[in-house]
Structures are given as structure tokens and as C-alpha cells.
Amino acid sequence: MSGNPTSPGPEATAAAAASTAPDDNSNKRGRRRRLIGVSTKMYFSASRTEAFTRSVVELLSSPTDTLTLGDDDVDIFIIPDFVTLTSVISIIRSAPEGSVARRIKVGAQDCYSEDFGAYTGEVSPAVLAEVGVEFVELGHAERKRLFAETDGRVGEKVRGVVRNGMVPVICVGEMRKDGGVEGAVGEVVRQVEVVLKGVGEGEEVVLAYEPVWAIGGREPAGEEYVEGVVRGLREWEGVKGRGGRVRVIYGGAAGRGLWERLGGEVDGLFLGRFGHDAGEFVKLIGEVAGGGGEGGE
């Protein structure tokens, strides 16, 4: 991968976000296409996952719903557990043709790096793509903490995902806050450099910036802090120089009002428990689709 992984200084992190190629990273209004999604982690039963998905579909299918999205407004995804993946896909495909609900994409919470073989208990990226999965979340801090997953191992999985035509949602973030913005940028850049090694420059990727110290907290990281880290990440040549679409979304106690406070520096939100209510999730979709951000209407 090209680029210097050295942490940028304060001037670099304070610089404006990198310009993006319109054909790959921007919609027709000149900004990166927004993205919002939710992971249920392992909080839901199978019946609750299906009920949640049906409620979201119903809210986004109602002809009286005030949430109306153009083709270039926002992408939406839901990441359930593995057992309910196919049922969630079926529920979304049953939504009315042309409705916002029909546009929801489904993701998986992890996968193995190889497509097939004697890997008992693992989940093949090829099978995920076959059943209709479009996003795969990789490298979450919980997997690193609980299962000793390394950035190198995450990178192997990223390559398996893109090989099968899906988009990796790569979780990155610093462990501690005391290094400030500059320290956080350096740590995040090192993670991204490793996980994107061997991934084609033209492949689409999503980077989910989640400060580890903010995950599960009552409040997200401060707006200026997040903006500084995201700007520093965008300015790094390993991201700035990629030809494929790169979107940076924020997770870590992300909830109502955060999108507007971030001022469009990020491309969207990655929700956990704050999106586990269908009505709240739809309201957050409305915030990301309709308010704030560069070039928004």
C-alpha cells in the first residue's frame, strides 16, 4: 500500500477533508453518498430480530411516511446474527417495490477468510454472497478483545469479502483517549494500513471509526475529537489515494442528534443499541438522509 503510515501532525489533522473523485465517492450533489446501519450484535432472539426487521420495513414502506429518499441520499443496512440472515433478507425482499424499505442492504457480523474447506463452525464469505449479503462487518473491538483477533487476521477476512463482491465494514479505533487526536490518527492509520494490505485500490470499503473507549458508553466521543481523527484519516495517502469509494462512518454510542453535531465530517453512522428500536432507527435514518453535511439539502 502506498503512503506514509506516520501519524500526521496537528496541522494535517486540522486540514480540510480530502477531495474525492465524483464518479467513485460522491453523488450528483457533490458529496459522498451517506450510509447508516445497525448491528444487533447478540442482543436479539430470532423472533425479536424478525419483528424488528418487519417494523423497520413497515415504517419505511408506509405511503404516509415523511421519510422520502432520492436515489442519491443514503444507503441503509441491517446486520443481524447469522441464524436470522436469510429470514431478514426475505422480509426486506417482501417490501413493496420502489419503497425505501426495499433498498435496505443486509450485512453479516463476521466471516472466515477462505471460501470453502474443512473449517468447522466458520462462515464462508462465498456463501454469504450467495444468499444476498452485501456488507460484512469485520474487526470489531469486541472480537479483538474476546477472541484475540489481530489486524492481520482481519485483513485476511477483508480480502475474502472483496473477492466475493461484498463491501467490508472495517472497524477501527484507538484504545485510549489520552493520546489526543494525533495519537488516535496514528493508531487508526496503522490499523487501516494492515487490514487493507493486498486489497485492490479500486475496491469499495467502509471504515467504521469507533473509539474503543467510547463503545458501550453513555456518550459518544466529542465532536471536535471525531472530526479531527476522521480528517487525519482521510488525509493519509493510503485512504486519500484509493480509487474506489471510501466512506468513513462513526460508531461508539452514536445516537440522535450526533449526525448534525458532526457537521458532515463523517459519511454516516454505525449504530448499536441506540438503533435497536425500529422507530428510533428510522428517525436516525431521517437525520442522516435529510440534515447536515456537505452539499446536503
Side-chain angles (χ1 to χ4, degrees), residues 17-48:
S19 60
T20 54
D23 290 343
D24 292 324
N25 290 319
S26 303
N27 64 19
K28 65 186 180 184
R29 288 201 298 267
R31 58 165 167 75
R32 289 174 295 273
R33 184 180 175 92
R34 297 167 181 177
L35 178 66
I36 180 169
V38 61
S39 169
T40 64
K41 300 195 177 186
M42 208 179 78
Y43 285 119
F44 288 11
S45 65
S47 59
R48 184 181 172 190

Side-chain angles (χ1 to χ4, degrees), residues 2 31 70 141 158 172 188 202 210 225 236 239 271 280:
S2 63
R31 58 165 167 75
V158 169
V172 295
V188 169
E210 300 185 327
Y225 184 96
W236 175 54
V239 167
L271 310 172
E280 190 70 9

Side-chain angles (χ1 to χ4, degrees), residues 37-87:
V38 61
S39 169
T40 64
K41 300 195 177 186
M42 208 179 78
Y43 285 119
F44 288 11
S45 65
S47 59
R48 184 181 172 190
T49 299
E50 293 175 0
F52 169 81
T53 306
R54 288 194 181 95
S55 294
V56 171
V57 166
E58 181 178 352
L59 289 168
L60 293 180
S61 300
S62 171
T64 60
D65 187 9
T66 57
L67 177 62
T68 56
L69 307 179
D71 287 341
D72 62 350
D73 284 320
V74 64
D75 290 324
I76 306 162
F77 64 84
I78 294 175
I79 302 183
D81 63 276
F82 283 119
V83 175
T84 57
L85 266 174
T86 54
S87 60

Side-chain angles (χ1 to χ4, degrees), residues 93-177:
R93 287 177 176 173
S94 70
E97 191 73 40
S99 67
V100 174
R102 191 66 174 266
R103 291 166 43 188
I104 299 171
K105 302 176 188 299
V106 179
Q109 293 186 19
D110 191 37
C111 73
Y112 195 60
S113 55
E114 300 297 327
D115 291 350
F116 299 105
Y119 307 110
T120 302
E122 294 295 337
V123 177
S124 162
V127 172
L128 291 177
E130 181 183 3
V131 301
V133 169
E134 297 185 61
F135 288 91
V136 181
E137 176 186 9
L138 296 169
H140 193 279
E142 291 161 358
R143 292 203 59 83
K144 292 180 178 179
R145 175 172 57 87
L146 296 172
F147 305 110
E149 200 164 72
T150 65
D151 292 327
R153 187 74 188 104
V154 174
E156 293 172 356
K157 294 181 177 184
V158 169
R159 293 190 288 277
V161 167
V162 300
R163 181 175 66 243
N164 285 283
M166 298 176 291
V167 178
V169 179
I170 305 166
C171 300
V172 295
E174 73 282 7
M175 293 294 297
R176 300 168 59 88
K177 186 179 181 180

Side-chain angles (χ1 to χ4, degrees), residues 38 217-220 252-256 271-277 280-281 284:
V38 61
R218 296 180 61 184
E219 298 289 339
R256 292 277 295 279
L271 310 172
R273 67 189 188 282
F274 288 105
H276 287 174
D277 174 82
E280 190 70 9
F281 182 40
L284 284 159

